[in-house]
Amino acid sequence: MTNRLADKIAVVTGATSGIGLATAKLFAAEGAKVYITGRRKDVLDKAIAEIGHGAIGVQADSSKNEDLDGLFAKVREEQGRLDVLFVNAGGGTMLPLGQITEEQVDDTFGRNVKAVIFTVQKALPLLGKGASVVLTGSTAGTEGTAAFSVYSASKAAVRNLARSWALDLKETGMRVNVVSPGATRTPGLVELAGDDKAQQQGLLDYLASRIPLGRVGEPEEIAKAALFLASDDASFVNGAELFADGGQAQV
Protein backbone atom coordinates (compact mmCIF):
# COMPACT_ATOMS: atom_id res chain seq x y z
CA MET A 1 0.00 0.00 0.00
CA THR A 2 1.01 3.62 -0.50
CA ASN A 3 -0.07 5.17 2.85
CA ARG A 4 -2.30 7.68 1.06
CA LEU A 5 -4.20 8.23 4.30
CA ALA A 6 -1.26 8.12 6.69
CA ASP A 7 -2.08 9.73 10.06
CA LYS A 8 -5.65 10.49 8.97
CA ILE A 9 -8.68 9.90 11.18
CA ALA A 10 -11.56 8.41 9.19
CA VAL A 11 -15.17 7.49 9.87
CA VAL A 12 -17.04 5.09 7.59
CA THR A 13 -20.75 4.66 8.30
CA GLY A 14 -22.57 1.50 7.32
CA ALA A 15 -19.31 -0.43 7.12
CA THR A 16 -20.22 -3.97 8.16
CA SER A 17 -20.60 -5.32 4.62
CA GLY A 18 -20.34 -4.47 0.94
CA ILE A 19 -18.91 -1.15 -0.17
CA GLY A 20 -18.59 0.23 3.36
CA LEU A 21 -16.59 -2.72 4.62
CA ALA A 22 -14.34 -2.81 1.55
CA THR A 23 -13.67 0.92 1.91
CA ALA A 24 -12.94 0.70 5.61
CA LYS A 25 -10.43 -2.09 4.91
CA LEU A 26 -8.73 0.00 2.22
CA PHE A 27 -8.65 3.17 4.33
CA ALA A 28 -7.08 1.26 7.20
CA ALA A 29 -4.54 -0.42 4.91
CA GLU A 30 -3.64 3.04 3.56
CA GLY A 31 -2.73 4.29 7.02
CA ALA A 32 -5.93 5.77 8.44
CA LYS A 33 -7.23 5.26 11.95
CA VAL A 34 -10.70 4.02 11.06
CA TYR A 35 -13.96 4.19 13.00
CA ILE A 36 -16.88 2.24 11.54
CA THR A 37 -20.55 2.04 12.37
CA GLY A 38 -23.13 -0.69 12.14
CA ARG A 39 -26.49 -1.36 13.69
CA ARG A 40 -25.84 -4.94 14.90
CA LYS A 41 -23.06 -5.56 17.41
CA ASP A 42 -22.27 -9.11 16.32
CA VAL A 43 -21.86 -8.08 12.69
CA LEU A 44 -19.93 -4.98 13.73
CA ASP A 45 -17.49 -7.06 15.79
CA LYS A 46 -16.93 -9.41 12.84
CA ALA A 47 -16.21 -6.45 10.53
CA ILE A 48 -13.70 -4.99 12.99
CA ALA A 49 -11.84 -8.29 13.03
CA GLU A 50 -11.76 -8.31 9.21
CA ILE A 51 -10.50 -4.73 8.96
CA GLY A 52 -7.74 -5.04 11.54
CA HIS A 53 -5.21 -2.19 11.87
CA GLY A 54 -6.75 -1.11 15.17
CA ALA A 55 -10.11 -0.19 13.66
CA ILE A 56 -12.80 0.82 16.14
CA GLY A 57 -16.48 -0.08 15.91
CA VAL A 58 -19.33 2.08 17.17
CA GLN A 59 -22.79 0.54 17.26
CA ALA A 60 -24.98 3.21 15.70
CA ASP A 61 -28.00 3.72 13.48
CA SER A 62 -27.30 6.75 11.29
CA SER A 63 -30.99 7.62 11.15
CA LYS A 64 -30.95 8.26 14.92
CA ASN A 65 -29.43 11.57 15.95
CA GLU A 66 -28.58 10.34 19.44
CA ASP A 67 -26.48 7.55 17.90
CA LEU A 68 -24.64 10.08 15.72
CA ASP A 69 -24.00 12.23 18.78
CA GLY A 70 -22.44 9.24 20.50
CA LEU A 71 -20.29 8.41 17.48
CA PHE A 72 -18.78 11.86 17.12
CA ALA A 73 -18.40 12.35 20.86
CA LYS A 74 -16.23 9.23 20.89
CA VAL A 75 -14.13 10.47 17.95
CA ARG A 76 -13.76 13.88 19.63
CA GLU A 77 -12.71 12.36 22.94
CA GLU A 78 -10.23 9.90 21.45
CA GLN A 79 -8.84 11.83 18.46
CA GLY A 80 -9.93 15.46 18.69
CA ARG A 81 -10.47 15.77 14.95
CA LEU A 82 -11.76 14.03 11.84
CA ASP A 83 -10.04 14.10 8.44
CA VAL A 84 -12.18 11.78 6.31
CA LEU A 85 -15.92 11.12 6.55
CA PHE A 86 -17.37 8.48 4.23
CA VAL A 87 -21.16 8.65 4.56
CA ASN A 88 -22.12 5.25 3.24
CA ALA A 89 -24.97 4.01 5.44
CA GLY A 90 -28.29 3.73 3.60
CA GLY A 91 -30.44 1.42 1.55
CA GLY A 92 -33.79 0.96 -0.10
CA THR A 93 -36.51 -1.36 -1.29
CA MET A 94 -38.35 -1.85 -4.56
CA LEU A 95 -42.00 -0.88 -5.07
CA PRO A 96 -43.60 0.36 -8.32
CA LEU A 97 -45.73 3.47 -8.55
CA GLY A 98 -49.19 2.52 -7.32
CA GLN A 99 -47.78 0.38 -4.51
CA ILE A 100 -45.46 2.93 -2.85
CA THR A 101 -46.22 3.27 0.86
CA GLU A 102 -45.67 6.05 3.33
CA GLU A 103 -43.51 3.66 5.35
CA GLN A 104 -41.22 3.04 2.37
CA VAL A 105 -40.81 6.75 1.69
CA ASP A 106 -40.10 7.54 5.34
CA ASP A 107 -37.62 4.67 5.68
CA THR A 108 -35.74 5.38 2.45
CA PHE A 109 -35.49 9.13 2.87
CA GLY A 110 -34.75 8.70 6.56
CA ARG A 111 -31.77 6.47 5.80
CA ASN A 112 -30.52 8.08 2.58
CA VAL A 113 -31.25 11.79 3.04
CA LYS A 114 -32.03 12.73 6.64
CA ALA A 115 -29.24 10.51 7.98
CA VAL A 116 -26.75 11.91 5.47
CA ILE A 117 -27.63 15.49 6.38
CA PHE A 118 -27.21 14.99 10.10
CA THR A 119 -24.17 12.75 9.83
CA VAL A 120 -22.31 15.52 8.02
CA GLN A 121 -23.73 18.34 10.11
CA LYS A 122 -22.83 16.67 13.39
CA ALA A 123 -19.32 15.90 12.12
CA LEU A 124 -18.63 19.52 11.11
CA PRO A 125 -17.05 20.64 14.42
CA LEU A 126 -14.43 17.91 14.00
CA LEU A 127 -13.68 18.61 10.34
CA GLY A 128 -11.12 21.23 9.39
CA LYS A 129 -9.10 22.54 6.48
CA GLY A 130 -8.19 19.74 4.11
CA ALA A 131 -10.90 17.40 5.39
CA SER A 132 -12.77 15.27 2.86
CA VAL A 133 -16.42 14.27 3.01
CA VAL A 134 -17.48 11.54 0.60
CA LEU A 135 -21.16 10.66 0.14
CA THR A 136 -22.38 7.43 -1.42
CA GLY A 137 -24.64 8.16 -4.35
CA SER A 138 -25.82 5.80 -7.08
CA THR A 139 -26.34 5.58 -10.80
CA ALA A 140 -30.00 5.27 -9.79
CA GLY A 141 -29.89 8.97 -8.96
CA THR A 142 -29.26 9.69 -12.64
CA GLU A 143 -31.07 6.87 -14.42
CA GLY A 144 -34.72 5.89 -14.30
CA THR A 145 -35.24 2.50 -12.69
CA ALA A 146 -38.54 0.64 -12.65
CA ALA A 147 -39.97 0.04 -9.16
CA PHE A 148 -37.04 1.92 -7.63
CA SER A 149 -38.22 5.51 -7.86
CA VAL A 150 -38.14 6.32 -4.15
CA TYR A 151 -34.57 5.08 -3.74
CA SER A 152 -33.54 6.82 -6.97
CA ALA A 153 -35.04 10.12 -5.80
CA SER A 154 -33.20 9.85 -2.49
CA LYS A 155 -29.87 9.38 -4.27
CA ALA A 156 -30.60 12.33 -6.56
CA ALA A 157 -31.03 14.35 -3.38
CA VAL A 158 -27.62 13.19 -2.15
CA ARG A 159 -26.05 14.47 -5.36
CA ASN A 160 -27.52 17.93 -4.83
CA LEU A 161 -26.52 18.00 -1.18
CA ALA A 162 -22.89 17.75 -2.26
CA ARG A 163 -23.29 20.60 -4.73
CA SER A 164 -24.95 22.83 -2.17
CA TRP A 165 -22.60 21.96 0.68
CA ALA A 166 -19.58 22.74 -1.48
CA LEU A 167 -20.97 26.29 -1.52
CA ASP A 168 -21.89 26.30 2.18
CA LEU A 169 -18.34 25.25 3.02
CA LYS A 170 -16.68 27.71 0.67
CA GLU A 171 -13.34 28.96 2.03
CA THR A 172 -13.25 26.39 4.86
CA GLY A 173 -10.83 24.19 2.92
CA MET A 174 -13.18 21.21 3.27
CA ARG A 175 -14.24 19.17 0.25
CA VAL A 176 -17.54 17.34 -0.36
CA ASN A 177 -17.90 14.83 -3.18
CA VAL A 178 -20.06 11.90 -4.22
CA VAL A 179 -18.98 8.46 -5.35
CA SER A 180 -21.77 6.86 -7.37
CA PRO A 181 -21.51 3.11 -7.87
CA GLY A 182 -23.25 1.24 -10.60
CA ALA A 183 -24.54 -2.28 -10.00
CA THR A 184 -22.12 -3.79 -7.49
CA ARG A 185 -22.01 -7.28 -6.02
CA THR A 186 -23.06 -6.47 -2.46
CA PRO A 187 -25.42 -8.21 -0.02
CA GLY A 188 -27.79 -5.25 -0.27
CA LEU A 189 -28.08 -5.66 -4.04
CA VAL A 190 -28.47 -9.42 -4.29
CA GLU A 191 -31.02 -9.45 -1.46
CA LEU A 192 -33.33 -7.38 -3.66
CA ALA A 193 -33.92 -10.64 -5.55
CA GLY A 194 -34.89 -12.52 -2.38
CA ASP A 195 -33.21 -15.56 -0.84
CA ASP A 196 -33.16 -17.78 -3.93
CA LYS A 197 -29.58 -18.10 -5.26
CA ALA A 198 -30.72 -18.63 -8.84
CA GLN A 199 -32.83 -15.47 -8.73
CA GLN A 200 -29.93 -13.54 -7.22
CA GLN A 201 -27.61 -14.67 -9.99
CA GLY A 202 -30.28 -13.86 -12.55
CA LEU A 203 -30.44 -10.30 -11.21
CA LEU A 204 -26.64 -9.95 -11.41
CA ASP A 205 -26.61 -11.34 -14.96
CA TYR A 206 -29.34 -8.94 -16.05
CA LEU A 207 -27.55 -5.96 -14.52
CA ALA A 208 -24.26 -7.02 -16.12
CA SER A 209 -25.95 -7.05 -19.52
CA ARG A 210 -26.71 -3.32 -19.13
CA ILE A 211 -23.10 -2.35 -18.36
CA PRO A 212 -20.63 -1.64 -21.19
CA LEU A 213 -17.88 -3.54 -19.36
CA GLY A 214 -20.16 -6.59 -19.35
CA ARG A 215 -20.06 -7.26 -15.60
CA VAL A 216 -21.15 -5.85 -12.29
CA GLY A 217 -18.67 -4.10 -10.04
CA GLU A 218 -16.98 -5.45 -6.94
CA PRO A 219 -17.00 -3.54 -3.62
CA GLU A 220 -13.22 -3.22 -3.71
CA GLU A 221 -13.45 -1.29 -6.99
CA ILE A 222 -15.82 1.25 -5.48
CA ALA A 223 -13.54 1.51 -2.44
CA LYS A 224 -10.67 2.61 -4.68
CA ALA A 225 -12.80 5.43 -6.08
CA ALA A 226 -13.75 6.49 -2.54
CA LEU A 227 -10.07 6.41 -1.55
CA PHE A 228 -9.20 8.80 -4.37
CA LEU A 229 -11.82 11.30 -3.23
CA ALA A 230 -10.78 10.91 0.40
CA SER A 231 -7.08 11.38 -0.28
CA ASP A 232 -5.00 14.45 -1.04
CA ASP A 233 -4.80 13.19 -4.65
CA ALA A 234 -8.26 14.79 -5.00
CA SER A 235 -7.26 18.05 -3.30
CA PHE A 236 -8.83 20.15 -6.08
CA VAL A 237 -11.93 17.98 -6.55
CA ASN A 238 -14.98 19.48 -4.86
CA GLY A 239 -18.74 19.20 -5.38
CA ALA A 240 -18.15 16.46 -7.94
CA GLU A 241 -19.76 13.11 -8.66
CA LEU A 242 -17.38 10.29 -9.50
CA PHE A 243 -19.12 7.41 -11.24
CA ALA A 244 -17.66 3.95 -10.62
CA ASP A 245 -20.15 2.12 -12.79
CA GLY A 246 -18.43 0.37 -15.70
CA GLY A 247 -20.08 2.92 -17.99
CA GLN A 248 -23.62 2.06 -16.86
CA ALA A 249 -24.88 5.63 -16.61
CA GLN A 250 -22.45 7.13 -19.12
CA VAL A 251 -23.85 5.84 -22.43
Side-chain angles (χ1 to χ4, degrees):
M1 292 296 174
T2 56
N3 285 324
R4 292 163 77 183
L5 297 182
D7 302 319
K8 302 284 190 182
I9 309 302
V11 166
V12 181
T13 66
T16 55
S17 67
I19 292 168
L21 178 57
T23 303
K25 286 181 178 179
L26 185 57
F27 282 7
E30 289 286 348
K33 180 69 173 182
V34 176
Y35 288 74
I36 70 166
T37 71
R39 292 183 290 181
R40 292 171 46 195
K41 187 178 186 307
D42 57 334
V43 181
L44 184 64
D45 290 343
K46 181 180 177 182
I48 287 296
E50 286 189 47
I51 295 165
H53 297 280
I56 296 171
V58 179
Q59 188 174 0
D61 181 340
S62 293
S63 66
K64 297 179 178 179
N65 281 340
E66 59 269 26
D67 286 5
L68 293 173
D69 289 337
L71 165 65
F72 294 118
K74 183 175 180 66
V75 175
R76 181 184 300 108
E77 179 182 350
E78 296 181 356
Q79 307 298 336
R81 73 177 202 278
L82 180 59
D83 304 301
V84 176
L85 175 62
F86 183 35
V87 188
N88 176 70
T93 54
M94 301 187 78
L95 285 175
L97 183 64
Q99 297 179 29
I100 294 169
T101 65
E102 185 174 357
E103 291 75 17
Q104 187 206 24
V105 173
D106 289 346
D107 177 68
T108 304
F109 273 78
R111 294 164 69 187
N112 295 348
V113 181
K114 175 187 172 184
V116 170
I117 291 169
F118 288 105
T119 298
V120 176
Q121 184 162 283
K122 289 177 179 295
L124 276 181
L126 293 171
L127 297 165
K129 185 176 182 180
S132 173
V133 175
V134 182
L135 314 178
T136 297
S138 172
T139 53
T142 299
E143 299 181 305
T145 308
F148 218 30
S149 61
V150 175
Y151 176 85
S152 299
S154 73
K155 289 301 185 178
V158 168
R159 174 66 186 103
N160 194 271
L161 288 174
R163 283 193 169 104
S164 299
W165 289 344
L167 295 174
D168 287 343
L169 298 173
K170 186 177 180 181
E171 299 176 0
T172 66
M174 302 178 196
R175 299 181 293 109
V176 183
N177 293 291
V178 179
V179 59
S180 286
T184 305
R185 193 191 310 272
T186 65
L189 176 65
V190 298
E191 287 168 5
L192 290 173
D195 297 328
D196 184 85
K197 297 298 184 183
Q199 289 184 346
Q200 291 177 354
Q201 188 59 51
L203 173 62
L204 292 173
D205 291 343
Y206 166 70
L207 293 171
S209 73
R210 300 180 60 244
I211 298 174
L213 280 182
R215 63 176 178 84
V216 299
E218 300 297 335
E220 294 76 14
E221 294 179 296
I222 314 306
K224 291 174 183 177
L227 172 63
F228 167 70
L229 292 175
S231 75
D232 292 339
D233 290 345
S235 59
F236 200 54
V237 181
N238 192 25
E241 181 174 20
L242 174 58
F243 286 94
D245 66 351
Q248 180 177 336
Q250 313 310 311
V251 296

